[in-house]
Amino acid sequence: VQYKYYLKMKKKVLVTGVTGQDGPNMVDYLLKETDYLVYGMTRRSSNINLSNCESFLNNERFQLVYADLTDGGSLDRLVQEIQPDYFINFAANSFVGCSWDMPEHVMDTNAMGTLRCLESIRRFQPKCRFYSAGSSEEMGDVDYSPQDKAHPPKPRSPYGVSKVASRFLVKVYRESYDIFAVHGILFNHEGIRRGEEFVTRKITKSVARIKCALDRDESFQPLQLGNVDSIRDWSDSEDFMAGVWLMLNQETPKEYILSSNETHTVKEFVSLAFQEAGIPGLWSGEGLDEKFRIYEENKILAEINEEFYRPGEVDILHGDSAPIREELGWSPRFSFPDLVKRMVNNDLEIAKKRTFSP
Ligand code: G4F
């Protein structure tokens, strides 16, 4: 991996999952807030989508590198070549819903993937600081709210289990080999780089599609959703990057929860997103017959489709991020309405461009 001479002495950060959401947000954060060299890792595939990487692909302190969490040899090679000072693992199969369809793949990528990263560090770069992306899905069938670090792991999905396994692997490697490894527990975090299978982006994309159709007096398919009573603690992913970096830069490895400390239902997200696009609506009906209609009109904007229910649901996630706010001074910039507004406006821009370009 070639860099200009004057860049060679700088510290190096390896960030995996660079084509996803958190990976590129972390790269943006590091290029802005540090003078380090940043290596963004992605898998080799015949059709790599780099659309989330446009802001830094040409930055002279950034380098795209290839390896795969399911291939330990490729990680070993990368760690030996780069000799990173920090290894931030955001790569994962992160869609909870799909973890029932391909549980082995999820365990292999997420849990065994963490193990492979830790093994590479242990053997080739033991002084490297490692970040493992934990999840509020580890809380699962919650005992109390808000959930803090002491909440027992009670995962409800193969995805949740994979993250609990990662958490304990990190602990074991820290205690057995004195590796600086932290496993931050991040509650839901979204944004304009969010994948379309996650509920927030699915909603904001549909809002943009429906808004364009209404503006042109065209018909449209309502947004189809599963469990709209689900309660989540949503933040903007960009805000979490500073928190992750703080966790990695303490004297001793200590883990924290990152969350907004407030909760909203999927229904509330839907209402606010349509309202943000200038389409106020109302929920009515119950269960599978519940619908979201344009206010004082009969047009259906969103409805329930059983297909999107999960075999096991986490009904409520509500994080307690007081410790990182009080001890490390972390605080978010974006509120829940800010998040919804940013995502809706971004998708409206995209939809308008698509509609009017030749
Ligand atoms: O957006 P979601 O798919 O996110 P989920 O399952 O909460 O997981 C996300 O957050 C975790 C942290 O808590 C991360 F670890 C994980 O990687 C991911 O980023 O679903 C949110 C809620 C669920 O309760 C789901 O059942 O929305 C509900 N929902 C209702 N209708 C739907 C839909 N979810 C999706 N994806 N699609 C629907 O149509």
Side-chain angles (χ1 to χ4, degrees):
V1 181
Q2 296 298 317
Y3 267 118
K4 287 181 188 149
Y5 176 75
Y6 71 95
L7 292 175
K8 278 194 177 160
M9 302 311 291
K10 292 189 185 295
K11 286 202 172 177
K12 289 167 279 186
V13 189
L14 175 59
V15 180
T16 72
V18 79
T19 58
Q21 169 183 259
D22 293 355
N25 284 343
M26 193 74 218
V27 173
D28 275 343
Y29 177 83
L30 292 169
L31 291 174
K32 185 163 175 268
E33 301 296 331
T34 73
D35 66 348
Y36 298 172
L37 302 184
V38 184
Y39 297 81
M41 186 188 109
T42 189
R43 280 170 294 165
R44 280 261 180 227
S45 89
S46 50
N47 197 3
I48 298 174
N49 182 351
L50 294 174
S51 57
N52 278 349
C53 306
E54 278 164 15
S55 61
F56 50 77
L57 272 181
N58 295 323
N59 188 306
E60 67 170 357
R61 286 193 289 123
F62 176 79
Q63 177 96 34
L64 190 66
V65 291
Y66 298 95
D68 197 315
L69 286 189
T70 62
D71 181 336
S74 69
L75 291 172
D76 290 351
R77 176 185 49 74
L78 215 55
V79 169
Q80 284 175 284
E81 264 179 39
I82 297 171
Q83 300 182 348
D85 299 281
Y86 296 88
F87 186 141
I88 302 176
N89 183 29
F90 279 131
N93 189 329
S94 62
F95 183 37
V96 176
C98 125
S99 75
W100 282 275
D101 300 330
M102 39 173 79
E104 289 180 32
H105 182 260
V106 167
M107 286 302 286
D108 192 20
T109 309
N110 300 3
M112 288 299 291
T114 304
L115 181 61
R116 292 182 188 108
C117 296
L118 287 164
E119 267 298 288
S120 286
I121 290 172
R122 180 184 72 78
R123 286 182 290 146
F124 303 113
Q125 193 68 357
K127 295 276 171 255
C128 175
R129 294 186 168 210
F130 179 64
Y131 177 81
S132 155
S135 163
S136 46
E137 280 290 309
E138 294 169 38
M139 309 288 180
D141 189 13
V142 303
D143 285 344
Y144 56 85
S145 286
Q147 295 89 49
D148 53 19
K149 247 176 59 174
H151 190 283
K154 297 177 75 181
R156 297 265 293 154
S157 61
Y159 172 88
V161 174
S162 75
K163 291 292 177 177
V164 172
S166 292
R167 188 205 295 193
F168 284 101
L169 284 167
V170 166
K171 181 174 180 290
V172 166
Y173 271 64
R174 192 167 55 218
E175 291 170 358
S176 310
Y177 304 115
D178 203 22
I179 288 173
F180 190 113
V182 290
H183 180 83
I185 298 178
L186 274 50
F187 280 63
N188 292 55
H189 47 291
E190 319 294 314
I192 56 177
R193 282 169 161 153
R194 194 53 150 153
E196 291 172 30
E197 65 273 63
F198 299 96
V199 78
T200 54
R201 190 73 195 276
K202 180 174 172 181
I203 294 167
T204 60
K205 287 222 100 161
S206 282
V207 167
R209 170 179 60 80
I210 291 172
K211 166 77 175 154
C212 288
L214 283 169
D215 285 351
R216 280 182 270 119
D217 221 7
E218 287 172 5
S219 61
F220 58 85
Q221 287 297 318
L223 161 65
Q224 312 266 309
L225 291 169
N227 178 11
V228 289
D229 294 316
S230 186
I231 299 169
R232 288 291 181 272
D233 176 333
W234 278 296
S235 298
D236 194 306
S237 160
E238 288 178 32
D239 276 337
F240 279 7
M241 298 305 119
V244 168
W245 193 235
L246 277 170
M247 281 185 234
L248 273 173
N249 285 288
Q250 300 310 304
E251 217 160 283
T252 47
K254 187 167 171 202
E255 288 154 349
Y256 291 92
I257 280 178
L258 284 171
S259 71
S260 74
N261 286 356
E262 61 179 64
T263 56
H264 299 275
T265 58
V266 173
K267 262 193 225 171
E268 279 175 75
F269 197 106
V270 170
S271 306
L272 197 55
F274 275 104
Q275 191 182 307
E276 190 56 46
I279 318 168
L282 274 183
W283 284 99
S284 62
E286 271 184 33
L288 292 176
D289 291 326
E290 204 158 12
K291 305 213 186 302
F292 186 68
R293 291 187 167 81
I294 300 185
Y295 188 61
E296 290 183 343
E297 283 185 40
N298 205 22
K299 262 187 200 148
I300 300 168
L301 298 167
E303 60 192 7
I304 310 300
N305 182 338
E306 226 173 337
E307 191 190 311
F308 297 109
Y309 275 84
R310 294 174 177 177
E313 181 62 279
V314 171
D315 298 323
I316 172 166
L317 287 173
H318 183 190
D320 177 5
S321 53
I324 195 166
R325 292 171 193 243
E326 285 159 19
E327 291 171 33
L328 305 187
W330 174 81
S331 66
R333 284 176 305 155
F334 299 110
S335 65
F336 178 69
D338 292 339
L339 170 70
V340 178
K341 189 183 183 129
R342 287 187 88 204
M343 291 182 73
V344 169
N345 289 339
N346 175 63
D347 280 329
L348 282 172
E349 282 305 311
I350 295 172
K352 274 183 212 153
K353 272 187 215 147
R354 279 212 187 120
T355 315
F356 298 118
S357 61

